[in-house]
Amino acid sequence: MAIQQNIRLSVDAVVFGYTARESISVLLIKRTIEPFLHSWALPGGFVRDHESLEEAVTRELQTESGVHINYLEQLYTFGLPSRDPRGRVVSVAHFALVNPTNFKLAASSDAEDAGWFNIKELPDLAFDHAGIIAEAVKRLRGKIRYQPIGFELLDKKFPIADLEKLYETLLDRPIDRRNFQKKMNHLGILIAHNETQKQLSQGRPAKLFSFNEKRYFQLMKDGIAFEV
Amino acid sequence: MAIQQNIRLSVDAVVFGYTARESISVLLIKRTIEPFLHSWALPGGFVRDHESLEEAVTRELQTESGVHINYLEQLYTFGLPSRDPRGRVVSVAHFALVNPTNFKLAASSDAEDAGWFNIKELPDLAFDHAGIIAEAVKRLRGKIRYQPIGFELLDKKFPIADLEKLYETLLDRPIDRRNFQKKMNHLGILIAHNETQKQLSQGRPAKLFSFNEKRYFQLMKDGIAFEV
DNA sequence: TCAAAAGTGTTATCGTTACACCCATGC
DNA sequence: GCATGGGTGTAACGATAACACTTTTGA
């Protein structure tokens, strides 16, 4: 009953990182093989016979860039027959969040180079990867409406302004500091610490906060009604 | 540069239908081939070399059951190496909505039988299809929080109570009729008609409504903040 | 002492919830 | 005329939005 198929399966990952200075960035790697040799592309590769999709993504991310993944979920499967010039390759795209300050990017064997690109200044990309990133950005922007966000992207302790800037970037509009703070307090996901940020600029030093993980993950499951 | 892979790709569809009497049901077909011969399973099958994933689902649904699809989106890709006893089969599951009154189910060549099953009374299912349905139900319940729902499931004209029952079923709790109506009016997605429902039970005949499609699809894109 | 960023509270508005009586129909 | 389901409004409450002055620090 074997059905002859000529379809190969790959995985790709859209890895988002965030820093208050650099805003939201995507991890890209420079290809070392044809097609699209020397083009920027999403990290990813072919799935092996005995590994799950998630194992495949994790392996590829490890070997291509050395990131520490904080969050990983499936995004969408891209299967147009024409998306890869080598023939039929269906790719299961994934969505990942990392904190870029937690590790050094390491372009290794499979990648000529690896780097962060602001989502508003992406280079030309291999295959349909620009479309995949567009979907991932949609997902990220969408998440904000029904899940808390930030834990996987920010440092363990952070000034509340960092979180606010993250929301402002994703929503692409200004937010009232006071109301934002009130709402976060109301959600109960922030824990205040008696520490202030080491000074990196002028102005009053900011108190540091961390997430109440229990409450955070509870709300992540239950969903929130949160319009900033 | 060909990489030898022994993975086959299939598609499956979780098709939801709704009637005020029968509540939310899933379309299942009875398998005519091994493995899981004579078991109930989701409609689906292998993707052909030159068709897109969506084409593959549509084709399978057509040949296996003859449904009229009103809405189709990708759900999730299931890729555990052990999910199919025949070997490695990765399945891209889809999520579909139909109005069961629009057509007659037709079990054809590929299916011994086809039928609707209430999501609370599912039979034993082939492969990991029970898990796939569970994911689809989650998606359906989730949608209600950020998208209008009903257009693809209900008749063109319907009494508002049908829509309310749909929400009550998905939310699994009672809803206040008056507040529900006010909220729907506020959203502006309902158009009242000067017709009443043909009597099928005792009581005052209900006014019929239809959806304001333009507004409906606008809100579907923009998202809604809607807590019933 | 000035510039920069952080901390903080009140009011008005809007949306949500809770709740009960009357109306049209079939039996 | 009674049982069944449909149609409709108001008041209390809670959440959201708008808005400005004071504090701490570095230069």
PDB file of all heavy atoms in Angstrom, chain D residues 8-21:
ATOM      1  P    DT D   8     -37.255  43.821  20.402  1.00  0.00           P
ATOM      2  OP1  DT D   8     -37.772  44.816  19.458  1.00  0.00           O
ATOM      3  OP2  DT D   8     -35.954  43.170  20.211  1.00  0.00           O
ATOM      4  O5'  DT D   8     -37.294  44.461  21.858  1.00  0.00           O
ATOM      5  C5'  DT D   8     -38.509  45.035  22.325  1.00  0.00           C
ATOM      6  C4'  DT D   8     -38.329  45.480  23.755  1.00  0.00           C
ATOM      7  O4'  DT D   8     -38.217  44.332  24.631  1.00  0.00           O
ATOM      8  C3'  DT D   8     -37.062  46.324  24.012  1.00  0.00           C
ATOM      9  O3'  DT D   8     -37.444  47.427  24.800  1.00  0.00           O
ATOM     10  C2'  DT D   8     -36.170  45.386  24.797  1.00  0.00           C
ATOM     11  C1'  DT D   8     -37.223  44.610  25.572  1.00  0.00           C
ATOM     12  N1   DT D   8     -36.785  43.322  26.131  1.00  0.00           N
ATOM     13  C2   DT D   8     -37.087  43.047  27.434  1.00  0.00           C
ATOM     14  O2   DT D   8     -37.695  43.825  28.151  1.00  0.00           O
ATOM     15  N3   DT D   8     -36.663  41.825  27.877  1.00  0.00           N
ATOM     16  C4   DT D   8     -35.959  40.872  27.145  1.00  0.00           C
ATOM     17  O4   DT D   8     -35.625  39.821  27.652  1.00  0.00           O
ATOM     18  C5   DT D   8     -35.677  41.219  25.781  1.00  0.00           C
ATOM     19  C7   DT D   8     -34.938  40.275  24.890  1.00  0.00           C
ATOM     20  C6   DT D   8     -36.092  42.413  25.338  1.00  0.00           C
ATOM     21  P    DG D   9     -36.713  48.828  24.669  1.00  0.00           P
ATOM     22  OP1  DG D   9     -37.720  49.780  24.169  1.00  0.00           O
ATOM     23  OP2  DG D   9     -35.413  48.668  23.965  1.00  0.00           O
ATOM     24  O5'  DG D   9     -36.414  49.187  26.189  1.00  0.00           O
ATOM     25  C5'  DG D   9     -37.491  49.293  27.125  1.00  0.00           C
ATOM     26  C4'  DG D   9     -36.898  49.453  28.499  1.00  0.00           C
ATOM     27  O4'  DG D   9     -36.204  48.236  28.866  1.00  0.00           O
ATOM     28  C3'  DG D   9     -35.869  50.580  28.622  1.00  0.00           C
ATOM     29  O3'  DG D   9     -36.138  51.289  29.819  1.00  0.00           O
ATOM     30  C2'  DG D   9     -34.535  49.853  28.706  1.00  0.00           C
ATOM     31  C1'  DG D   9     -34.953  48.576  29.427  1.00  0.00           C
ATOM     32  N9   DG D   9     -34.068  47.440  29.233  1.00  0.00           N
ATOM     33  C8   DG D   9     -33.540  46.971  28.054  1.00  0.00           C
ATOM     34  N7   DG D   9     -32.795  45.914  28.205  1.00  0.00           N
ATOM     35  C5   DG D   9     -32.811  45.669  29.572  1.00  0.00           C
ATOM     36  C6   DG D   9     -32.178  44.659  30.334  1.00  0.00           C
ATOM     37  O6   DG D   9     -31.452  43.750  29.927  1.00  0.00           O
ATOM     38  N1   DG D   9     -32.465  44.770  31.690  1.00  0.00           N
ATOM     39  C2   DG D   9     -33.270  45.750  32.249  1.00  0.00           C
ATOM     40  N2   DG D   9     -33.441  45.718  33.565  1.00  0.00           N
ATOM     41  N3   DG D   9     -33.875  46.703  31.539  1.00  0.00           N
ATOM     42  C4   DG D   9     -33.599  46.608  30.217  1.00  0.00           C
ATOM     43  P    DT D  10     -35.352  52.635  30.141  1.00  0.00           P
ATOM     44  OP1  DT D  10     -36.199  53.773  29.721  1.00  0.00           O
ATOM     45  OP2  DT D  10     -33.974  52.513  29.607  1.00  0.00           O
ATOM     46  O5'  DT D  10     -35.281  52.621  31.740  1.00  0.00           O
ATOM     47  C5'  DT D  10     -35.810  51.534  32.512  1.00  0.00           C
ATOM     48  C4'  DT D  10     -34.847  51.221  33.640  1.00  0.00           C
ATOM     49  O4'  DT D  10     -34.058  50.033  33.309  1.00  0.00           O
ATOM     50  C3'  DT D  10     -33.822  52.313  33.936  1.00  0.00           C
ATOM     51  O3'  DT D  10     -33.641  52.395  35.341  1.00  0.00           O
ATOM     52  C2'  DT D  10     -32.556  51.790  33.271  1.00  0.00           C
ATOM     53  C1'  DT D  10     -32.703  50.315  33.571  1.00  0.00           C
ATOM     54  N1   DT D  10     -31.875  49.393  32.759  1.00  0.00           N
ATOM     55  C2   DT D  10     -31.258  48.332  33.385  1.00  0.00           C
ATOM     56  O2   DT D  10     -31.359  48.104  34.577  1.00  0.00           O
ATOM     57  N3   DT D  10     -30.509  47.529  32.561  1.00  0.00           N
ATOM     58  C4   DT D  10     -30.312  47.681  31.207  1.00  0.00           C
ATOM     59  O4   DT D  10     -29.615  46.896  30.584  1.00  0.00           O
ATOM     60  C5   DT D  10     -30.981  48.815  30.616  1.00  0.00           C
ATOM     61  C7   DT D  10     -30.819  49.073  29.139  1.00  0.00           C
ATOM     62  C6   DT D  10     -31.722  49.611  31.400  1.00  0.00           C
ATOM     63  P    DA D  11     -32.966  53.651  36.010  1.00  0.00           P
ATOM     64  OP1  DA D  11     -33.961  54.740  36.086  1.00  0.00           O
ATOM     65  OP2  DA D  11     -31.660  53.876  35.335  1.00  0.00           O
ATOM     66  O5'  DA D  11     -32.660  53.136  37.491  1.00  0.00           O
ATOM     67  C5'  DA D  11     -32.916  51.768  37.857  1.00  0.00           C
ATOM     68  C4'  DA D  11     -31.644  51.154  38.415  1.00  0.00           C
ATOM     69  O4'  DA D  11     -30.955  50.408  37.374  1.00  0.00           O
ATOM     70  C3'  DA D  11     -30.632  52.165  38.949  1.00  0.00           C
ATOM     71  O3'  DA D  11     -30.108  51.663  40.177  1.00  0.00           O
ATOM     72  C2'  DA D  11     -29.587  52.236  37.843  1.00  0.00           C
ATOM     73  C1'  DA D  11     -29.587  50.791  37.354  1.00  0.00           C
ATOM     74  N9   DA D  11     -29.086  50.589  35.984  1.00  0.00           N
ATOM     75  C8   DA D  11     -29.220  51.407  34.892  1.00  0.00           C
ATOM     76  N7   DA D  11     -28.663  50.940  33.796  1.00  0.00           N
ATOM     77  C5   DA D  11     -28.115  49.738  34.202  1.00  0.00           C
ATOM     78  C6   DA D  11     -27.374  48.744  33.509  1.00  0.00           C
ATOM     79  N6   DA D  11     -27.067  48.830  32.214  1.00  0.00           N
ATOM     80  N1   DA D  11     -26.972  47.677  34.214  1.00  0.00           N
ATOM     81  C2   DA D  11     -27.274  47.593  35.519  1.00  0.00           C
ATOM     82  N3   DA D  11     -27.966  48.448  36.279  1.00  0.00           N
ATOM     83  C4   DA D  11     -28.354  49.507  35.542  1.00  0.00           C
ATOM     84  P    DA D  12     -29.021  52.465  40.969  1.00  0.00           P
ATOM     85  OP1  DA D  12     -29.638  52.750  42.290  1.00  0.00           O
ATOM     86  OP2  DA D  12     -28.498  53.565  40.130  1.00  0.00           O
ATOM     87  O5'  DA D  12     -27.862  51.400  41.191  1.00  0.00           O
ATOM     88  C5'  DA D  12     -28.188  50.028  41.471  1.00  0.00           C
ATOM     89  C4'  DA D  12     -26.906  49.214  41.399  1.00  0.00           C
ATOM     90  O4'  DA D  12     -26.529  49.016  40.015  1.00  0.00           O
ATOM     91  C3'  DA D  12     -25.718  49.905  42.075  1.00  0.00           C
ATOM     92  O3'  DA D  12     -24.987  48.910  42.798  1.00  0.00           O
ATOM     93  C2'  DA D  12     -24.935  50.511  40.901  1.00  0.00           C
ATOM     94  C1'  DA D  12     -25.221  49.516  39.779  1.00  0.00           C
ATOM     95  N9   DA D  12     -25.201  50.073  38.426  1.00  0.00           N
ATOM     96  C8   DA D  12     -25.655  51.299  38.004  1.00  0.00           C
ATOM     97  N7   DA D  12     -25.507  51.513  36.712  1.00  0.00           N
ATOM     98  C5   DA D  12     -24.917  50.345  36.249  1.00  0.00           C
ATOM     99  C6   DA D  12     -24.512  49.936  34.970  1.00  0.00           C
ATOM    100  N6   DA D  12     -24.643  50.678  33.870  1.00  0.00           N
ATOM    101  N1   DA D  12     -23.955  48.703  34.859  1.00  0.00           N
ATOM    102  C2   DA D  12     -23.824  47.955  35.956  1.00  0.00           C
ATOM    103  N3   DA D  12     -24.173  48.231  37.214  1.00  0.00           N
ATOM    104  C4   DA D  12     -24.719  49.450  37.289  1.00  0.00           C
ATOM    105  P    DC D  13     -23.626  49.281  43.474  1.00  0.00           P
ATOM    106  OP1  DC D  13     -23.502  48.509  44.733  1.00  0.00           O
ATOM    107  OP2  DC D  13     -23.499  50.762  43.486  1.00  0.00           O
ATOM    108  O5'  DC D  13     -22.574  48.699  42.439  1.00  0.00           O
ATOM    109  C5'  DC D  13     -22.763  47.383  41.890  1.00  0.00           C
ATOM    110  C4'  DC D  13     -21.657  47.144  40.896  1.00  0.00           C
ATOM    111  O4'  DC D  13     -21.942  47.898  39.687  1.00  0.00           O
ATOM    112  C3'  DC D  13     -20.289  47.621  41.393  1.00  0.00           C
ATOM    113  O3'  DC D  13     -19.443  46.487  41.490  1.00  0.00           O
ATOM    114  C2'  DC D  13     -19.832  48.659  40.349  1.00  0.00           C
ATOM    115  C1'  DC D  13     -20.725  48.370  39.151  1.00  0.00           C
ATOM    116  N1   DC D  13     -21.048  49.559  38.293  1.00  0.00           N
ATOM    117  C2   DC D  13     -20.840  49.478  36.920  1.00  0.00           C
ATOM    118  O2   DC D  13     -20.386  48.434  36.432  1.00  0.00           O
ATOM    119  N3   DC D  13     -21.150  50.545  36.131  1.00  0.00           N
ATOM    120  C4   DC D  13     -21.648  51.661  36.685  1.00  0.00           C
ATOM    121  N4   DC D  13     -21.936  52.677  35.868  1.00  0.00           N
ATOM    122  C5   DC D  13     -21.858  51.765  38.098  1.00  0.00           C
ATOM    123  C6   DC D  13     -21.549  50.707  38.855  1.00  0.00           C
ATOM    124  P    DG D  14     -17.937  46.658  41.979  1.00  0.00           P
ATOM    125  OP1  DG D  14     -17.574  45.465  42.769  1.00  0.00           O
ATOM    126  OP2  DG D  14     -17.780  48.027  42.527  1.00  0.00           O
ATOM    127  O5'  DG D  14     -17.161  46.593  40.590  1.00  0.00           O
ATOM    128  C5'  DG D  14     -17.500  45.594  39.631  1.00  0.00           C
ATOM    129  C4'  DG D  14     -16.681  45.838  38.384  1.00  0.00           C
ATOM    130  O4'  DG D  14     -17.226  46.990  37.671  1.00  0.00           O
ATOM    131  C3'  DG D  14     -15.214  46.170  38.662  1.00  0.00           C
ATOM    132  O3'  DG D  14     -14.430  45.491  37.681  1.00  0.00           O
ATOM    133  C2'  DG D  14     -15.147  47.690  38.508  1.00  0.00           C
ATOM    134  C1'  DG D  14     -16.195  47.927  37.431  1.00  0.00           C
ATOM    135  N9   DG D  14     -16.808  49.251  37.453  1.00  0.00           N
ATOM    136  C8   DG D  14     -17.204  49.974  38.545  1.00  0.00           C
ATOM    137  N7   DG D  14     -17.736  51.130  38.233  1.00  0.00           N
ATOM    138  C5   DG D  14     -17.675  51.159  36.841  1.00  0.00           C
ATOM    139  C6   DG D  14     -18.096  52.151  35.919  1.00  0.00           C
ATOM    140  O6   DG D  14     -18.627  53.240  36.155  1.00  0.00           O
ATOM    141  N1   DG D  14     -17.843  51.780  34.604  1.00  0.00           N
ATOM    142  C2   DG D  14     -17.260  50.582  34.222  1.00  0.00           C
ATOM    143  N2   DG D  14     -17.087  50.394  32.915  1.00  0.00           N
ATOM    144  N3   DG D  14     -16.863  49.654  35.067  1.00  0.00           N
ATOM    145  C4   DG D  14     -17.099  50.007  36.357  1.00  0.00           C
ATOM    146  P    DA D  15     -12.861  45.566  37.717  1.00  0.00           P
ATOM    147  OP1  DA D  15     -12.385  44.177  37.864  1.00  0.00           O
ATOM    148  OP2  DA D  15     -12.452  46.620  38.670  1.00  0.00           O
ATOM    149  O5'  DA D  15     -12.497  46.053  36.246  1.00  0.00           O
ATOM    150  C5'  DA D  15     -13.245  45.573  35.133  1.00  0.00           C
ATOM    151  C4'  DA D  15     -12.935  46.453  33.942  1.00  0.00           C
ATOM    152  O4'  DA D  15     -13.644  47.698  34.068  1.00  0.00           O
ATOM    153  C3'  DA D  15     -11.451  46.798  33.807  1.00  0.00           C
ATOM    154  O3'  DA D  15     -11.102  46.678  32.437  1.00  0.00           O
ATOM    155  C2'  DA D  15     -11.381  48.232  34.326  1.00  0.00           C
ATOM    156  C1'  DA D  15     -12.751  48.776  33.928  1.00  0.00           C
ATOM    157  N9   DA D  15     -13.260  49.848  34.777  1.00  0.00           N
ATOM    158  C8   DA D  15     -13.301  49.893  36.140  1.00  0.00           C
ATOM    159  N7   DA D  15     -13.841  50.985  36.623  1.00  0.00           N
ATOM    160  C5   DA D  15     -14.180  51.708  35.490  1.00  0.00           C
ATOM    161  C6   DA D  15     -14.801  52.967  35.323  1.00  0.00           C
ATOM    162  N6   DA D  15     -15.200  53.745  36.325  1.00  0.00           N
ATOM    163  N1   DA D  15     -14.990  53.401  34.047  1.00  0.00           N
ATOM    164  C2   DA D  15     -14.595  52.619  33.034  1.00  0.00           C
ATOM    165  N3   DA D  15     -14.009  51.429  33.076  1.00  0.00           N
ATOM    166  C4   DA D  15     -13.834  51.026  34.346  1.00  0.00           C
ATOM    167  P    DT D  16      -9.627  47.017  31.930  1.00  0.00           P
ATOM    168  OP1  DT D  16      -9.302  46.012  30.907  1.00  0.00           O
ATOM    169  OP2  DT D  16      -8.761  47.221  33.108  1.00  0.00           O
ATOM    170  O5'  DT D  16      -9.846  48.402  31.194  1.00  0.00           O
ATOM    171  C5'  DT D  16     -10.920  48.533  30.258  1.00  0.00           C
ATOM    172  C4'  DT D  16     -10.939  49.959  29.745  1.00  0.00           C
ATOM    173  O4'  DT D  16     -11.453  50.839  30.766  1.00  0.00           O
ATOM    174  C3'  DT D  16      -9.553  50.479  29.379  1.00  0.00           C
ATOM    175  O3'  DT D  16      -9.663  51.040  28.088  1.00  0.00           O
ATOM    176  C2'  DT D  16      -9.231  51.503  30.472  1.00  0.00           C
ATOM    177  C1'  DT D  16     -10.624  51.972  30.882  1.00  0.00           C
ATOM    178  N1   DT D  16     -10.780  52.455  32.273  1.00  0.00           N
ATOM    179  C2   DT D  16     -11.438  53.649  32.480  1.00  0.00           C
ATOM    180  O2   DT D  16     -11.879  54.344  31.575  1.00  0.00           O
ATOM    181  N3   DT D  16     -11.568  54.020  33.802  1.00  0.00           N
ATOM    182  C4   DT D  16     -11.115  53.333  34.912  1.00  0.00           C
ATOM    183  O4   DT D  16     -11.294  53.769  36.041  1.00  0.00           O
ATOM    184  C5   DT D  16     -10.435  52.085  34.625  1.00  0.00           C
ATOM    185  C7   DT D  16      -9.904  51.249  35.763  1.00  0.00           C
ATOM    186  C6   DT D  16     -10.308  51.713  33.339  1.00  0.00           C
ATOM    187  P    DA D  17      -8.448  51.803  27.415  1.00  0.00           P
ATOM    188  OP1  DA D  17      -8.582  51.634  25.967  1.00  0.00           O
ATOM    189  OP2  DA D  17      -7.195  51.447  28.107  1.00  0.00           O
ATOM    190  O5'  DA D  17      -8.800  53.314  27.763  1.00  0.00           O
ATOM    191  C5'  DA D  17      -9.975  53.914  27.208  1.00  0.00           C
ATOM    192  C4'  DA D  17      -9.891  55.401  27.428  1.00  0.00           C
ATOM    193  O4'  DA D  17     -10.033  55.671  28.843  1.00  0.00           O
ATOM    194  C3'  DA D  17      -8.547  56.006  27.005  1.00  0.00           C
ATOM    195  O3'  DA D  17      -8.810  57.215  26.303  1.00  0.00           O
ATOM    196  C2'  DA D  17      -7.803  56.237  28.306  1.00  0.00           C
ATOM    197  C1'  DA D  17      -8.928  56.409  29.322  1.00  0.00           C
ATOM    198  N9   DA D  17      -8.618  55.862  30.643  1.00  0.00           N
ATOM    199  C8   DA D  17      -7.920  54.725  30.945  1.00  0.00           C
ATOM    200  N7   DA D  17      -7.819  54.485  32.230  1.00  0.00           N
ATOM    201  C5   DA D  17      -8.496  55.543  32.822  1.00  0.00           C
ATOM    202  C6   DA D  17      -8.753  55.878  34.156  1.00  0.00           C
ATOM    203  N6   DA D  17      -8.337  55.142  35.188  1.00  0.00           N
ATOM    204  N1   DA D  17      -9.461  57.008  34.394  1.00  0.00           N
ATOM    205  C2   DA D  17      -9.888  57.734  33.353  1.00  0.00           C
ATOM    206  N3   DA D  17      -9.708  57.521  32.046  1.00  0.00           N
ATOM    207  C4   DA D  17      -9.002  56.404  31.848  1.00  0.00           C
ATOM    208  P    DA D  18      -7.623  58.042  25.641  1.00  0.00           P
ATOM    209  OP1  DA D  18      -8.028  58.318  24.244  1.00  0.00           O
ATOM    210  OP2  DA D  18      -6.353  57.342  25.948  1.00  0.00           O
ATOM    211  O5'  DA D  18      -7.664  59.414  26.447  1.00  0.00           O
ATOM    212  C5'  DA D  18      -8.905  59.968  26.886  1.00  0.00           C
ATOM    213  C4'  DA D  18      -8.610  61.018  27.942  1.00  0.00           C
ATOM    214  O4'  DA D  18      -8.498  60.378  29.238  1.00  0.00           O
ATOM    215  C3'  DA D  18      -7.293  61.779  27.702  1.00  0.00           C
ATOM    216  O3'  DA D  18      -7.540  63.168  27.758  1.00  0.00           O
ATOM    217  C2'  DA D  18      -6.390  61.299  28.835  1.00  0.00           C
ATOM    218  C1'  DA D  18      -7.390  60.924  29.920  1.00  0.00           C
ATOM    219  N9   DA D  18      -6.910  59.908  30.857  1.00  0.00           N
ATOM    220  C8   DA D  18      -6.182  58.787  30.577  1.00  0.00           C
ATOM    221  N7   DA D  18      -5.899  58.051  31.631  1.00  0.00           N
ATOM    222  C5   DA D  18      -6.485  58.743  32.680  1.00  0.00           C
ATOM    223  C6   DA D  18      -6.554  58.493  34.055  1.00  0.00           C
ATOM    224  N6   DA D  18      -5.997  57.429  34.642  1.00  0.00           N
ATOM    225  N1   DA D  18      -7.218  59.385  34.834  1.00  0.00           N
ATOM    226  C2   DA D  18      -7.785  60.454  34.242  1.00  0.00           C
ATOM    227  N3   DA D  18      -7.788  60.796  32.949  1.00  0.00           N
ATOM    228  C4   DA D  18      -7.120  59.891  32.222  1.00  0.00           C
ATOM    229  P    DC D  19      -6.426  64.217  27.268  1.00  0.00           P
ATOM    230  OP1  DC D  19      -7.125  65.371  26.689  1.00  0.00           O
ATOM    231  OP2  DC D  19      -5.403  63.485  26.507  1.00  0.00           O
ATOM    232  O5'  DC D  19      -5.783  64.671  28.658  1.00  0.00           O
ATOM    233  C5'  DC D  19      -6.650  65.096  29.723  1.00  0.00           C
ATOM    234  C4'  DC D  19      -5.847  65.170  30.996  1.00  0.00           C
ATOM    235  O4'  DC D  19      -5.788  63.861  31.612  1.00  0.00           O
ATOM    236  C3'  DC D  19      -4.378  65.605  30.786  1.00  0.00           C
ATOM    237  O3'  DC D  19      -4.078  66.688  31.649  1.00  0.00           O
ATOM    238  C2'  DC D  19      -3.598  64.370  31.140  1.00  0.00           C
ATOM    239  C1'  DC D  19      -4.512  63.751  32.196  1.00  0.00           C
ATOM    240  N1   DC D  19      -4.182  62.341  32.502  1.00  0.00           N
ATOM    241  C2   DC D  19      -4.421  61.854  33.792  1.00  0.00           C
ATOM    242  O2   DC D  19      -4.937  62.592  34.631  1.00  0.00           O
ATOM    243  N3   DC D  19      -4.069  60.579  34.096  1.00  0.00           N
ATOM    244  C4   DC D  19      -3.511  59.807  33.162  1.00  0.00           C
ATOM    245  N4   DC D  19      -3.190  58.568  33.501  1.00  0.00           N
ATOM    246  C5   DC D  19      -3.266  60.290  31.835  1.00  0.00           C
ATOM    247  C6   DC D  19      -3.614  61.543  31.557  1.00  0.00           C
ATOM    248  P    DA D  20      -2.738  67.566  31.396  1.00  0.00           P
ATOM    249  OP1  DA D  20      -3.025  68.608  30.431  1.00  0.00           O
ATOM    250  OP2  DA D  20      -1.607  66.646  31.172  1.00  0.00           O
ATOM    251  O5'  DA D  20      -2.547  68.225  32.832  1.00  0.00           O
ATOM    252  C5'  DA D  20      -2.968  67.523  34.002  1.00  0.00           C
ATOM    253  C4'  DA D  20      -1.962  67.742  35.111  1.00  0.00           C
ATOM    254  O4'  DA D  20      -1.252  66.496  35.329  1.00  0.00           O
ATOM    255  C3'  DA D  20      -0.876  68.799  34.860  1.00  0.00           C
ATOM    256  O3'  DA D  20      -0.609  69.446  36.102  1.00  0.00           O
ATOM    257  C2'  DA D  20       0.309  67.962  34.391  1.00  0.00           C
ATOM    258  C1'  DA D  20       0.131  66.729  35.285  1.00  0.00           C
ATOM    259  N9   DA D  20       0.784  65.505  34.818  1.00  0.00           N
ATOM    260  C8   DA D  20       1.196  65.204  33.546  1.00  0.00           C
ATOM    261  N7   DA D  20       1.766  64.019  33.440  1.00  0.00           N
ATOM    262  C5   DA D  20       1.726  63.521  34.735  1.00  0.00           C
ATOM    263  C6   DA D  20       2.165  62.309  35.302  1.00  0.00           C
ATOM    264  N6   DA D  20       2.764  61.345  34.595  1.00  0.00           N
ATOM    265  N1   DA D  20       1.972  62.129  36.622  1.00  0.00           N
ATOM    266  C2   DA D  20       1.378  63.099  37.317  1.00  0.00           C
ATOM    267  N3   DA D  20       0.907  64.273  36.902  1.00  0.00           N
ATOM    268  C4   DA D  20       1.123  64.420  35.590  1.00  0.00           C
ATOM    269  P    DC D  21       0.319  70.740  36.263  1.00  0.00           P
ATOM    270  OP1  DC D  21      -0.566  71.886  36.559  1.00  0.00           O
ATOM    271  OP2  DC D  21       1.264  70.781  35.130  1.00  0.00           O
ATOM    272  O5'  DC D  21       1.107  70.385  37.606  1.00  0.00           O
ATOM    273  C5'  DC D  21       0.397  69.762  38.690  1.00  0.00           C
ATOM    274  C4'  DC D  21       1.337  68.856  39.456  1.00  0.00           C
ATOM    275  O4'  DC D  21       1.663  67.696  38.661  1.00  0.00           O
ATOM    276  C3'  DC D  21       2.687  69.522  39.795  1.00  0.00           C
ATOM    277  O3'  DC D  21       2.937  69.367  41.189  1.00  0.00           O
ATOM    278  C2'  DC D  21       3.692  68.738  38.968  1.00  0.00           C
ATOM    279  C1'  DC D  21       3.014  67.374  38.919  1.00  0.00           C
ATOM    280  N1   DC D  21       3.540  66.488  37.846  1.00  0.00           N
ATOM    281  C2   DC D  21       3.915  65.175  38.174  1.00  0.00           C
ATOM    282  O2   DC D  21       3.764  64.783  39.333  1.00  0.00           O
ATOM    283  N3   DC D  21       4.433  64.371  37.213  1.00  0.00           N
ATOM    284  C4   DC D  21       4.580  64.834  35.968  1.00  0.00           C
ATOM    285  N4   DC D  21       5.091  64.005  35.062  1.00  0.00           N
ATOM    286  C5   DC D  21       4.201  66.165  35.608  1.00  0.00           C
ATOM    287  C6   DC D  21       3.688  66.948  36.567  1.00  0.00           C
TER     288       DC D  21
END
